[in-house]
Amino acid sequence: MEHIKIFTRLIANELHLQEHAVENTLKLLDEGCTIPFISRYRKERTGGLDEVQITAISNRAEQLQEIAKRKMTIVKTITEQEKMTPELQKRIDDCWEMTVLEDIYLPYKPKRRTRAQVAREQGLEPLAQLLLMQREANPERAAQRQLSIINSPLSVEDAIKGAQDIIAEQVSEDERSRNLVRSIFRREAFIESKAVKNKKDTDEAQKYSDYFEWEEPLKRCSSHRMLAMRRGTDEGFLRISITIDDEDTISRLQRNYVRGNGACQRLVAEAVEDGYKRLLLPSIESEFMTLSKEKADEEAIRVFAENLRQLLLSAPLGQKRVMGIDPGFRTGCKVVCLDAQGNLLHHEAIFPHPPVNHRMQANIHLQQMIEKYQIVAIAIGNGTASRETKEFVEEVLKETVLANPAPTIYVVSEDGASVYSASKAARDEFPDEDVTVRGAVSIGRRLMDPLAELVKIDPKSIGVGQYQHDVDQSKLKHALDQTVESCVNLVGVNLNTASQHLLTYVSGLGPVLAQNIVDYKKEHGAFTSRAQLKKVPRLGPAAYQQCAGFLRIPNAKNPLDNSAVHPESYHIVEQMAADQHCTVDDLIKNKGTREKIDIKRYISDEVGLPTLTDIMKELEKPGRDPREQIEVFEFDSSVQTIDDLHEGMVLPGIVTNITNFGAFVDIGVHQDGLVHVSQLADKYVSDPTQVVRLHQHVMVRVISVDLRRLRISLSMKKIGKR
């Protein structure tokens, strides 16, 4: 990587990290190592940096690389103009802020034919500089003199206006002027939002009614309000602007250029005002509008990524025989039965609810399916008719005498299930089934392993963020892909049961190698060792190094193949076992034997204490799943609709979405309530994700109910943990 020394110094200072750790991380990234691999298996080289720190280094390095590319373009352009000087070159070389760099470049930047450019072509540059010096008692006489020198037919009045245009442009491009106005915007700017008059009274505009007459300091504008106003503007219902005190700003600018009183001073003052209003103000306002949007995007993407992480790491049921139910009223409930590997065994539709009301028939069929397919858990989608279907299934289980223990019922988020059911992946897997069957299968599989199922769906369709279609789509995709990759590699992947979609996110693989692994399994059968991966077409040494530690093979001949111990460290474990006069398998099973090991004996030039400590932790519980245990949830049976709610009620709920202004909670009335950030805890909360997590079971108190707008306000203050 070019500029690696400079990047190292800059990033280390910005992120408050050791330079050697940053330099080694940049080298590893440049070598093609993934973030999960570096954080897990290269702790000695990075000083133990975690994924968050390595991601920050990677993202900042990409930004600096873009600045480096921009510098090359700028230097080339200025050099071609024959205006490059050693001082200017040094300023460009030393600059690593894009805003400052663009300010340096602005006077040299090719632009359309401006009024100032026309004036320069007319030979009025000397007059402009003469006026700026403010030594002429009679500007008109000076203008006439200049017109005579250049033999111009212009009038004195036009000559002075042309000179003022040159001064105005000079003021607008001056770094001092731009920084002054920027600092005022940064400290004092207000963002204003107003309704578009001829659309204000339309039904579509009412969702933006809070912003019809809105004003607040820009620095206090939260990301969700900024994005809401931007969306209202894009849809044509709002107009937004960023404003400062123009009179005060003009006065401060004029103090930088106007010295004393007189005719010249008056002309310069007019030019400064014109330069501010016509050129400088629109430029800086546009800059801050862009910066504010970027900041809002960044915050929204951060919340979205954190929600996605929590959803992907939801507690799995594991490999059990599951019934998946996609509930519905008129169209019925689509029921599927899956084996422990998630394969479809059977499907049918039942109609226990109005308007069909075949309740008895549905009861009998449900009992038969549970018995025949030995169902141990039932996953019910949380969409339309979810609660009614859950109550029906509970009723069936109470009435039924089963040979085996009654299945446990779970309500599962079905966000994105319809997207998956219509996708190419679903069509390839179930070419002969319709979208309703595929959707029900997805619901059942989500209970078994949320991560393995949700990676098949575009993260934007999972419904765990706000304004996801309004933010920078490339940045959103980059952040969400990083999140999925992080989660997949944190949990680890069963090499023999993983889908192509899941394998795609394993460190070092990607779509092509993932498909090659699936094809290899079809042709040669299940993998019996990690070493077999080297036989997969196009999976070379580099890819093997990156992926091997994250792939698991249960019941492999070598027990380490079902652990997070990397094959490059197998020899260390084998040496430990030899020193204890036992096998690797004995070492894993016998805690007493492991406690006898002095890991410092195994430190070498390549392997330090961080890696050895990780190895010992892994030997304690090889291949352990870091996700929590799954829990059953029950709504309050006395509350069915929003009409049943009243102020002061304390109810159980499930967190369905988290934003930077609070958390939405499902309390079983077909309308989620909002726990505002100020109501999340008995202490100040700046980040809701630090207090609640997606799908967490919580207790909430009803503060207010707005039946007209279907809004429920909730609180978690002074309520014990569920």
Side-chain angles (χ1 to χ4, degrees), residues 593-610:
T593 304
R594 290 197 306 275
E595 287 177 344
K596 294 177 184 176
I597 296 172
D598 177 9
I599 60 173
K600 291 179 183 176
R601 288 182 53 203
Y602 302 93
I603 293 174
S604 66
D605 292 339
E606 293 79 27
V607 180
L609 275 176

Side-chain angles (χ1 to χ4, degrees), residues 178 181-182 185 190 192 218 230 240-244 246 277 279-292:
R178 299 183 73 80
V181 177
R182 264 195 207 103
F185 264 83
F190 274 75
E192 296 178 353
L218 179 63
R230 293 287 297 226
I240 57 175
S241 60
I242 298 175
T243 61
I244 57 174
D246 288 339
K277 288 182 176 178
L279 302 170
L280 188 50
L281 178 61
S283 172
I284 302 298
E285 183 184 357
S286 175
E287 182 181 304
F288 271 77
M289 198 70 85
T290 300
L291 287 171
S292 301

Side-chain angles (χ1 to χ4, degrees), residues 420-458:
Y420 163 73
S421 63
S423 69
K424 182 181 183 300
R427 292 195 303 273
D428 289 346
E429 192 170 6
F430 301 107
D432 301 324
E433 310 297 348
D434 65 22
V435 291
T436 60
V437 174
R438 298 171 193 157
V441 170
S442 181
I443 288 168
R445 287 176 173 175
R446 287 181 190 204
L447 176 63
M448 299 166 72
D449 190 340
L451 178 60
E453 191 61 22
L454 290 171
V455 293
K456 301 175 184 176
I457 304 168
D458 180 352

Side-chain angles (χ1 to χ4, degrees), residues 12 28 194 212 295 326 425 481 520 572 660 713:
L28 287 164
K194 297 183 185 300
F212 283 175
K295 185 180 176 185
D326 187 357
D481 283 347
Y520 186 90
I572 299 171
N660 62 353
S713 295

Side-chain angles (χ1 to χ4, degrees), residues 193-212:
S193 170
K194 297 183 185 300
V196 174
K197 287 182 180 178
N198 62 344
K199 295 186 178 181
K200 184 175 182 179
D201 298 324
T202 63
D203 291 340
E204 295 90 342
Q206 292 312 301
K207 59 186 173 183
Y208 300 111
S209 59
D210 290 345
Y211 303 106
F212 283 175

